[in-house]
Amino acid sequence: MLRVVIAEDSVLLREGLTRLLTDRGLEVVAGVGDGEALLTAVAGLAAGDGLPDVVVADVRMPPTHTDEGVRACVELRKRFPALGVLVLSQHVEQQYAAELLASSTRGVGYLLKDRVAEVREFVDAVRRVAEGGTALDPDVVQQLFSRSRRGDVLAGLTPREREVLALMAEGRSNAAIGKQLVVSDGAVEKHVSNIFAKLGLSQSSEDHRRVLAVLTYVNS
């Protein structure tokens, strides 16, 4: 059973998330209302029953309601690299998304709160992040993609390769990308291989190169 910590200052939303996740077989081991309490809760669990699998946290929490949540998540990733973190935001915050993804995209997610209403996709995102995958909201990816067009790093990619890379940034598998773009798995594999080559990513594990490709995309 995956163990989850929820950080959300709205008691109503926090309780709602707790019920939603527990009803689908996840264990919510702590619920807190600010960034400091989140840091304390995770550290306490790590020292006692064991590190939770994933944190689901609001970007903005008390006392200033600016970036306490995402900063707490960044700090937790430094302390506990194996911890999955999924942040929720009312609006796309490019700076916070890029900061969260700066070191690694493994076990990281950034979703708009509206996505919580799409229960199956939200729970799938929580599970994927807990298991070391990536879950980026399509709107977040679109804004980061628009931002990336100002740089030169991705200039050599074709429009189709950019589409594939954007879907990779959402955490999609090759099969899921092929289904989305209505192309064969072999075509997707060829595009991914071309992306790796054009971004100068040398031979290594497939997962490692996917992470590096997404990081290049986000930081460009």
Side-chain angles (χ1 to χ4, degrees), residues 153-159 161 191-201 216:
V153 178
L154 306 181
L157 301 185
T158 67
E161 289 165 355
H191 288 311
V192 172
S193 178
N194 288 340
I195 290 168
F196 291 158
K198 291 179 179 181
L199 295 182
L201 301 178
T216 300

Side-chain angles (χ1 to χ4, degrees), residues 1 17 22 37 57 85 94 111 195:
M1 182 181 293
L17 289 172
T22 54
V85 294
Q94 290 188 41
L111 297 179
I195 290 168

